[in-house]
Amino acid sequence: MDVKEALQMLKAKGYKHTDKREDILTVFMNHKGYLTARDVLTRLKDRYEGLSFDTIYRNLSLFVEVGILEETEFNGEKHYQVKCEDDRCQHLICIGCGITQSVNVRPFEEQLEKSNDFKITGHKFEIYGYCSACH
Ligand SMILES: [Zn+2]
């Protein structure tokens, strides 16, 4: 997904294109991993005088609702990232910096299906730890 596509998704649901929304989306598209509302505020506060945490937070919730971002909670805080297009893709999440890595759990999944005679149709599965820069 890119910024243009995300803006189209907003438009399709009747939400206006604003510079602020575009800039928030750009922050996410240029970042590999999770960000908090505070991270976004830090990156944009020099550009928008008086930009509030609430405004960011409200937009992030909207982006989740529309299906642009996905959210998860760790370190007691909500974290957001661009929604993964493959709903079977799984992530290693660094709780230090929020960076994520995709991992292939397909072999594990196949083994589970075989040993339990169970057809897996989807899963939500997150692995927390520290990336090479943080541990
Ligand atoms: Zn890290």
Side-chain angles (χ1 to χ4, degrees):
M1 196 189 308
D2 57 19
V3 175
K4 212 173 132 209
E5 228 177 299
L7 288 168
Q8 270 162 2
M9 285 167 80
L10 281 172
K11 202 174 155 204
K13 302 259 172 162
Y15 295 103
K16 266 193 316 189
H17 170 194
T18 65
D19 288 346
K20 216 176 280 171
R21 281 183 179 154
E22 184 170 341
D23 283 343
I24 296 172
L25 290 166
T26 305
V27 167
F28 279 97
M29 302 300 167
N30 292 334
H31 181 82
K32 190 179 150 41
Y34 281 99
L35 292 168
T36 62
R38 205 187 323 243
D39 294 329
V40 178
L41 183 62
T42 307
R43 285 167 163 82
L44 295 179
K45 69 176 189 297
D46 292 339
R47 245 185 113 148
Y48 296 98
E49 211 186 308
L51 181 64
S52 74
F53 183 82
D54 267 11
T55 305
I56 304 272
Y57 192 77
R58 252 182 290 126
N59 276 294
L60 297 183
S61 302
L62 170 67
F63 296 163
V64 171
E65 194 188 307
V66 173
I68 297 166
L69 299 181
E70 58 189 4
E71 64 177 24
T72 191
E73 208 171 312
F74 56 90
N75 294 345
E77 214 172 347
K78 274 197 176 158
H79 286 69
Y80 304 84
Q81 77 166 357
V82 179
K83 197 167 181 193
C84 213
E85 275 154 47
D86 177 0
D87 62 0
R88 289 188 143 199
C89 155
Q90 303 304 331
H91 297 112
L92 301 179
I93 302 167
C94 175
I95 56 176
C97 65
I99 220 161
T100 57
Q101 257 171 277
S102 296
V103 283
N104 179 12
V105 294
R106 197 90 210 178
F108 176 56
E109 197 176 282
E110 279 163 10
Q111 198 196 320
L112 278 176
E113 288 189 320
K114 230 181 264 166
S115 56
N116 297 287
D117 191 21
F118 189 83
K119 178 88 197 101
I120 297 172
T121 57
H123 41 66
K124 176 119 183 107
F125 176 55
E126 295 179 334
I127 305 161
Y128 304 101
Y130 292 100
C131 75
S132 59
C134 293
H135 70 57

